Amino acid sequence: MKKTILLLSLAAFALPSFADIYKCADDAGHITFSNTTSKGCKRLNLDSDSPSSSGTAKAPRAAANPSPANFPRVDGGTQRARDNDRRAILEQELAAEQKNLEAAKKDVTEQEAMVQPGERNVGGGINGAKVAERVQPYKDKVQLHERNIEAIRKEIANLR
């Protein structure tokens, strides 16, 4: 008896549940999805495999973003040539960015070794905080080039 009740209660939890889904856009254009409607929301019509209320199955969905019939097509050879051009451009950008990174690192080293007259303490020591403040833009430039190199490498890896 207890097993039957347990099985029935588990079966009740396994039943699918359905709710309306709304796509909402706020004044700034941010898109959110919700199960409640509010200003700027449109109900989404989500097809499912279950029969509709009329008892007939719904037609299969078309592609999410079908291309128009007159949309220009590119043959495989042309696309490969474009992809090769893109790869060559990205590799040139990567080489240039690596050179810029090396130059930026050299600038940081030179700036850290140099001490300006205003960066000395009265007793003759060096004020590390002033040196660090002066060198920080150079370090920021190094980080920028490192991020650029990472982004270009990611783009190259995403090529077909």
Side-chain angles (χ1 to χ4, degrees), residues 3-131:
K3 287 184 181 180
T4 306
I5 293 173
L6 179 63
L7 288 174
L8 289 175
S9 62
L10 288 175
F13 286 116
L15 292 175
S17 61
F18 298 97
D20 291 332
I21 305 293
Y22 298 92
K23 181 178 180 181
C24 307
D26 62 10
D27 295 334
H30 297 103
I31 303 293
T32 56
F33 295 92
S34 175
N35 62 345
T36 59
T37 185
S38 62
K39 179 184 167 204
C41 293
K42 290 194 300 188
R43 184 178 175 275
L44 296 178
N45 184 13
L46 303 175
D47 292 336
S48 67
D49 293 337
S50 64
S52 64
S53 59
S54 65
T56 60
K58 293 183 181 180
R61 270 178 78 170
N65 293 321
S67 297
N70 61 351
F71 193 77
R73 303 274 183 212
V74 177
D75 66 282
T78 303
Q79 187 61 46
R80 275 190 295 281
R82 289 177 181 177
D83 290 342
N84 290 337
D85 290 345
R86 183 172 181 218
R87 180 179 302 278
I89 291 168
L90 285 171
E91 288 173 352
Q92 290 171 357
E93 288 180 4
L94 180 61
E97 201 62 40
Q98 288 171 332
K99 286 180 185 177
N100 291 338
L101 175 62
E102 293 306 315
K105 285 181 177 180
K106 182 181 174 192
D107 290 345
V108 168
T109 304
E110 289 173 358
Q111 291 297 320
E112 287 175 335
M114 185 185 338
V115 178
Q116 303 285 333
E119 296 170 344
R120 295 199 181 272
N121 290 331
V122 176
I126 298 173
N127 186 336
K130 287 186 178 181
V131 172

